[in-house]
Amino acid sequence: MGTRRTLILQKRQVLVFFVLLGLSQASTESLQYSVAEETEIGSFVANLARDLGLEVVELSSREARVVSDDNKKHLHLNLMTGDLLLSERLDREELCGSTQPCVLPFQVVLENPLQFYQAELHVIDINDHCPTFLDREITIKIPESTTIGSMFLIENVQDVDVGSNGLQDYSISPNSHFYVKVHDSGDGKIYPELVLDRALDHEEESELRLTLTALDGGSPPRSGTTSILIKVLDINDNAPEFAQSFYEVQVPEDMPIGSSIIAISAKDLDTGNSGKISYSFLHASEGIRKTFDINPTSGEVNLRSLLDFEVIQSYSVNIQATDGGGLSAKCTLLVKVLDINDNAPEVTISSITKTIPENASETLVALFSVRDQDSGDNGKILCSIQDDLPFILKPTFKNFFTLLSEKALDRESRAEYNITITVTDMGTPRLTTQHTIRVQVSDVNDNAPAFTQTSYTLFVQENNSPALHIGTISATDSDSGSNAHITYSLLPTHDPQLALASLFSVNADNGQLFALRALDYEAQQAFEFQVGATDQGSPALSSQALVRVLVLDANDNAPFVLYPLQNASAPCTELLPRAAEPGYLVTKVVAVDRDSGQNAWLSFQLLKATEPGLFSVWAHNGEVRTSRLLSERDAPKHRLLLLVKDNGDPPRSASVTLHVLLVDGFSQPYLPLPEVARDPAQDEDVLTLYLVIALASVSSLFLLSVLLFVGVRLCKRARATSLGGCSVPEGHFPGHLVDISGAGTLSQSYQYEVCLTGGTGTNEFKFLKPVMPSLQLQDAGSNMQEKENFRNSLGFNIQ
């Protein structure tokens, strides 16, 4: 096996085609070291840090390593000391065979920046092998007529050591017929030749046995011996002759075992046993004997084992033809092995990075080398990766390539890449080798959380229970790990009057929103605030969304009667002329409801009356009208109880009491007081009193009208209410109280200005007039004006 490897390395010629770029990264200096073979493992070779002019710590930081051409780890670099140590016992004969000197090239690779140093390790031979003869006994047949000085070839000895440790001399045991002559073949090898020094005599001595000794030049020298049996034959005067002394044949390396390579033939002019020729190998090495065999009778050379061009490219075989009388002749057969593309390219990964950050560009992913043991086009290599990947291949030094990321990656688009390195030779058929590298893209916090909606609208019924869950906000983050862990929060509001923290809260983990206390629709119908979503990356990224909380109205407010006032010390009294026609407008009940929607839709109902059927109430606008003509039998005073009810669920209501006084006409001075009991005997005195009061009222009417007009205008300008002052609602009532269709609480056709005194128990109804009289009031206008004039003429404030 060792001899075969010797010939492999001696004759191997491999042409590898690379387009080399970036040779500037490689050092032009070549480091040379030497070590004796069979040196112990871990032995010191050299201090690499000192030879490269680098600090020891720099070797570690730059990830220095030793890469051999044959991908075997003969050497080990100690990064702590910078020492180059042996990692295995070296056998020079196994590594280099007979090649001298034995050189093992290797490279020192440094990263950050990438740099190569070429180095060589010389393996020095020691004398660890003895010369060895392939045959324990050599038989030579010599005719007795052989002349003195004739030379006979002997099988040479094998010594795998080289130089002075190799084969140096031959010697033969003392005898009287032969001596040994050493012959130099010109290729550095010596062969022994047995020279006849004294004539043989078959009859005197038919056999001679000699001992041949081979010596090497080691210290101490080693030797090997073999026995030579010489048979003395009768005279045979014709030696065999080959047709030609040199044969050459080309054999493809994939030829099957047992195939015939060539047939060698020789002729002998002798007859009988002296003319019978036998063929054999001469001076054949063990490798040749294991690879080929020869038919001793026909001279046909056959293949005994498979050929391998990558191991041995040619064989030189010496063939000997010997006749029956012992005479022989030789020729040389040169077998050239033809290369076929039977070796796929090889990929060797030197370093690899399996995880790279997504924001890094031109990151080193892998450093690898390629080779093909074939030759010619079969050994030319093309290296590539997939076109649709953001990675590139760059040739660096000799057969080394680097795999780099071409640009910054995006983990959110693709978190993993399977990079297939494809290496193809140029042979026929082409052979391909693929190596897949899986690269994980690590996440960086480059994506802010994103809300599922830019704004959220939530609805909450007023008077809610505290800590009520009103809705959930949600955001997503396309990052991973802690970069995608989202925390929710309420952002500060720009409204200083809005105590947001006391009204709402958000669960920081799941985004659930809670109303911390009961909300009041009548106080505020809507809230707007910002919520934020922040991840836990470094630095943290955040986003915000708008939240609108709309408070839904509940029927929690009963209707409020604006007119007639119900907190006065005396009930309100309305005057009704006895001549009023059916449908005559007696008064209008005005009420409002702080709720909204259908909760504020008011309806009016007459619950109780002194004279049923005399009065009716319009359900939608609160107008109290007469249902029929008045008669003398009708009572002069009437008490009406009205119910004002909203449309909520459940409905809320309020009641109001009206007092109606029947009079014959607004010019009649007779007006009975509702709370004074009159005696018929005093009618004349009372009538006189009324006349005096009427005359005084006529005198003060003008002054009273002017004062009221000025007071109303001043109150409108001030737009404020003070104790004892007059408050006049400005503009219209709220929009939800106005129903254009006439079905609401206060029709657009009836809007009144109400001026009330600011007192507590003596509030008086001072002024009531329509702001926007409509056509519906034209019929009753004369009656109302007559009633107003009648009151003023009397000078009373009806309480």
Side-chain angles (χ1 to χ4, degrees):
M1 185 67 181
T3 305
R4 181 179 179 183
R5 291 184 178 177
T6 300
L7 294 175
I8 289 172
L9 295 176
Q10 179 181 8
K11 299 180 180 180
R12 176 180 175 187
Q13 297 177 356
V14 181
L15 178 60
V16 181
F17 174 76
F18 288 102
V19 179
L20 297 179
L21 298 177
L23 287 178
S24 59
Q25 300 177 6
S27 174
T28 58
E29 299 179 0
S30 179
L31 304 176
Q32 295 186 359
Y33 303 101
S34 62
V35 64
E37 67 173 330
E38 303 297 335
T39 302
E40 293 292 332
I41 297 175
S43 298
F44 174 82
V45 177
N47 188 281
L48 197 58
R50 182 179 63 252
D51 294 343
L52 296 179
L54 302 174
E55 295 295 334
V56 175
V57 67
E58 191 174 357
L59 292 178
S60 178
S61 63
R62 296 182 62 182
E63 300 181 7
R65 56 188 175 277
V66 175
V67 180
S68 301
D69 285 354
D70 56 359
N71 298 324
K72 295 182 179 179
K73 295 184 177 181
H74 304 300
L75 299 172
H76 168 68
L77 177 59
N78 190 331
L79 297 179
M80 303 300 295
T81 61
D83 293 337
L84 190 63
L85 308 176
L86 283 177
S87 58
E88 64 179 10
R89 283 178 175 268
L90 301 179
D91 188 349
R92 192 207 64 80
E93 288 74 24
E94 181 180 356
L95 294 173
C96 301
S98 61
T99 304
Q100 183 68 12
C102 181
V103 179
L104 300 180
F106 65 93
Q107 294 84 34
V108 180
V109 182
L110 301 176
E111 295 185 5
N112 302 319
L114 186 63
Q115 192 172 6
F116 293 81
Y117 290 90
Q118 185 70 34
E120 296 178 350
L121 179 64
H122 292 250
V123 183
I124 301 174
D125 182 53
I126 62 174
N127 191 23
D128 57 343
H129 293 87
C130 295
T132 303
F133 287 91
L134 299 179
D135 298 323
R136 292 181 175 273
E137 183 178 271
I138 300 174
T139 300
I140 302 177
K141 297 178 180 180
I142 303 177
E144 61 179 345
S145 60
T146 303
T147 61
I148 297 174
S150 298
M151 294 182 292
F152 302 92
L153 299 176
I154 302 176
E155 286 284 350
N156 66 320
V157 71
Q158 303 288 329
D159 192 345
V160 294
D161 291 328
V162 296
S164 61
N165 295 324
L167 182 64
Q168 299 294 324
D169 196 9
Y170 290 92
S171 64
I172 197 167
S173 59
N175 64 91
S176 58
H177 292 279
F178 299 93
Y179 67 90
V180 173
K181 181 179 179 180
V182 178
H183 176 70
D184 189 357
S185 63
D187 57 357
K189 297 181 180 180
I190 59 175
Y191 300 95
E193 292 182 341
L194 195 61
V195 181
L196 184 61
D197 189 39
R198 179 170 170 263
L200 298 174
D201 187 357
H202 175 75
E203 288 72 24
E204 180 180 347
E205 192 174 12
S206 61
E207 290 184 355
L208 297 175
R209 189 172 295 275
L210 306 176
T211 300
L212 181 64
T213 303
L215 298 175
D216 62 18
S219 178
R222 293 175 177 267
S223 62
T225 61
T226 186
S227 176
I228 300 178
L229 176 61
I230 297 177
K231 293 184 177 181
V232 181
L233 304 177
D234 286 343
I235 296 175
N236 180 25
D237 54 354
N238 288 287
E241 293 184 1
F242 285 98
Q244 56 190 72
S245 60
F246 182 80
Y247 294 86
E248 180 177 338
V249 64
Q250 294 181 342
V251 180
E253 61 176 327
D254 60 345
M255 177 173 282
I257 297 176
S259 300
S260 175
I261 296 176
I262 192 174
I264 303 296
S265 63
K267 294 182 179 180
D268 194 316
L269 298 178
D270 293 324
T271 59
N273 187 55
S274 299
K276 292 182 179 180
I277 299 175
S278 63
Y279 300 91
S280 63
F281 292 138
L282 178 66
H283 302 157
S285 65
E286 182 180 2
I288 292 178
R289 292 173 182 262
K290 288 183 177 180
T291 307
F292 306 99
D293 61 17
I294 187 169
N295 189 310
T297 302
S298 63
E300 184 178 19
V301 179
N302 300 314
L303 188 62
R304 189 174 181 181
S305 64
L306 292 176
L307 302 177
D308 191 349
F309 176 85
E310 289 71 39
V311 178
I312 300 178
Q313 291 78 44
S314 64
Y315 296 87
S316 180
V317 183
N318 293 321
I319 298 177
Q320 177 179 260
T322 305
D323 61 18
L327 297 181
S328 63
K330 73 169 185 174
C331 69
T332 301
L333 172 63
L334 179 62
V335 180
K336 290 186 176 181
V337 182
L338 299 180
D339 181 45
I340 63 171
N341 194 26
D342 60 342
N343 290 280
E346 300 175 3
V347 179
T348 302
I349 303 296
S350 298
S351 67
I352 186 171
T353 303
K354 294 186 177 181
T355 302
I356 59 176
E358 63 176 322
N359 61 348
S361 60
E362 293 192 3
T363 302
L364 178 64
V365 177
L367 173 66
F368 62 94
S369 60
V370 296
R371 70 168 184 169
D372 194 316
Q373 297 184 27
D374 293 322
S375 63
D377 289 340
N378 297 332
K380 295 179 181 180
I381 295 176
L382 297 176
C383 188
S384 63
I385 60 174
Q386 302 100 304
D387 295 333
D388 57 344
L389 297 181
F391 297 90
I392 56 174
L393 280 179
K394 286 187 177 180
T396 53
F397 174 72
K398 291 183 66 176
N399 56 340
F400 281 87
F401 288 84
T402 54
L403 176 62
L404 305 171
S405 60
E406 186 176 16
K407 59 183 179 181
L409 306 177
D410 185 7
R411 189 204 65 82
E412 289 70 37
S413 299
R414 188 169 180 179
E416 181 181 278
Y417 292 89
N418 288 324
I419 307 172
T420 301
I421 301 173
T422 303
V423 183
T424 305
D425 60 26
M426 303 297 292
T428 302
R430 294 190 176 189
L431 299 181
T432 299
T433 298
Q434 291 184 335
H435 185 88
T436 301
I437 299 175
R438 177 173 295 179
V439 178
Q440 301 284 342
V441 182
S442 61
D443 183 54
V444 298
N445 194 26
D446 57 347
N447 290 278
F451 281 96
T452 56
Q453 300 174 216
T454 57
S455 64
Y456 295 82
T457 301
L458 307 177
F459 298 91
V460 182
Q461 191 80 22
E462 68 171 329
N463 304 320
N464 58 282
S465 59
L468 176 68
H469 177 219
I470 62 176
T472 303
I473 59 174
S474 177
T476 59
D477 196 316
S478 54
D479 293 321
S480 64
S482 61
N483 296 332
H485 190 277
I486 298 176
T487 301
Y488 300 92
S489 62
L490 297 179
L491 299 182
T493 178
H494 298 293
D495 187 359
Q497 297 181 355
L498 180 60
L500 185 63
S502 65
L503 293 173
F504 303 99
S505 70
V506 62
N507 189 306
D509 296 326
N510 55 27
Q512 291 183 346
L513 282 170
F514 298 90
L516 299 181
R517 59 184 177 86
L519 303 179
D520 188 0
Y521 174 85
E522 288 71 34
Q524 188 166 348
Q525 290 80 32
F527 299 88
E528 283 193 0
F529 53 89
Q530 298 283 342
V531 292
T534 305
D535 60 29
Q536 294 186 1
S538 179
L541 300 178
S542 63
S543 62
Q544 61 186 21
L546 177 66
V547 176
R548 296 185 182 91
V549 179
L550 301 181
V551 183
L552 301 178
D553 182 50
N555 193 26
D556 57 345
N557 291 281
F560 178 76
V561 179
L562 295 178
Y563 178 83
L565 293 178
Q566 298 300 297
N567 59 349
S569 59
C572 178
T573 302
E574 299 291 341
L575 301 179
L576 176 64
R578 288 184 177 273
E581 296 293 330
Y584 178 84
L585 178 63
V586 178
T587 187
K588 179 179 177 68
V589 177
V590 180
V592 295
D593 196 316
R594 294 182 63 193
D595 295 322
S596 65
Q598 67 178 9
N599 295 329
W601 296 352
L602 301 182
S603 61
F604 301 86
Q605 180 182 357
L606 180 60
L607 294 180
K608 186 176 181 182
T610 304
E611 185 70 33
L614 180 57
F615 300 96
S616 64
V617 179
W618 286 23
H620 299 297
N621 56 18
E623 293 180 353
V624 180
R625 296 178 180 270
T626 59
S627 299
R628 59 178 175 82
L629 290 174
L630 298 175
S631 66
E632 293 295 333
R633 292 191 300 272
D634 292 329
K637 293 191 300 181
H638 294 266
R639 182 176 178 274
L640 305 179
L641 180 62
L642 282 76
L643 179 67
V644 182
K645 183 174 64 173
D646 61 25
N647 197 37
D649 185 19
R652 292 178 178 268
S653 62
S655 62
V656 59
T657 302
L658 294 178
H659 292 271
V660 180
L661 181 62
L662 301 183
V663 296
D664 292 336
F666 289 131
S667 62
Q668 180 181 351
Y670 175 77
L671 183 61
L673 296 176
E675 296 181 344
V676 178
R678 294 173 296 180
D679 190 348
Q682 299 176 350
D683 288 344
E684 293 181 359
D685 295 336
V686 173
L687 181 60
T688 302
L689 177 62
Y690 279 86
L691 291 174
V692 173
I693 293 173
L695 292 174
S697 298
V698 171
S699 301
S700 59
L701 178 61
F702 176 76
L703 179 61
L704 180 61
S705 300
V706 172
L707 291 176
L708 289 175
F709 179 79
V710 173
V712 170
R713 291 303 178 185
L714 290 177
C715 288
K716 285 186 177 181
R717 292 180 181 178
R719 297 183 180 178
T721 303
S722 60
L723 183 61
C726 182
S727 175
V728 180
E730 182 177 353
H732 304 297
F733 284 103
H736 64 271
L737 298 178
V738 179
D739 189 351
I740 303 301
S741 65
T745 300
L746 185 60
S747 173
Q748 185 69 31
S749 302
Y750 297 97
Q751 296 188 12
Y752 293 85
E753 290 183 354
V754 181
C755 182
L756 305 175
T757 61
T760 58
T762 60
N763 290 346
E764 296 181 351
F765 180 82
K766 294 296 185 178
F767 184 71
L768 178 63
K769 67 176 182 179
V771 178
M772 297 178 62
S774 65
L775 296 176
Q776 296 177 359
L777 295 179
Q778 291 178 1
D779 294 338
S782 60
N783 294 332
M784 295 296 292
Q785 184 64 35
E786 182 180 357
K787 181 187 296 184
E788 184 70 20
N789 293 335
F790 177 73
R791 291 177 181 172
N792 293 336
S793 66
L794 293 179
F796 286 119
N797 291 328
I798 305 302
Q799 295 181 348

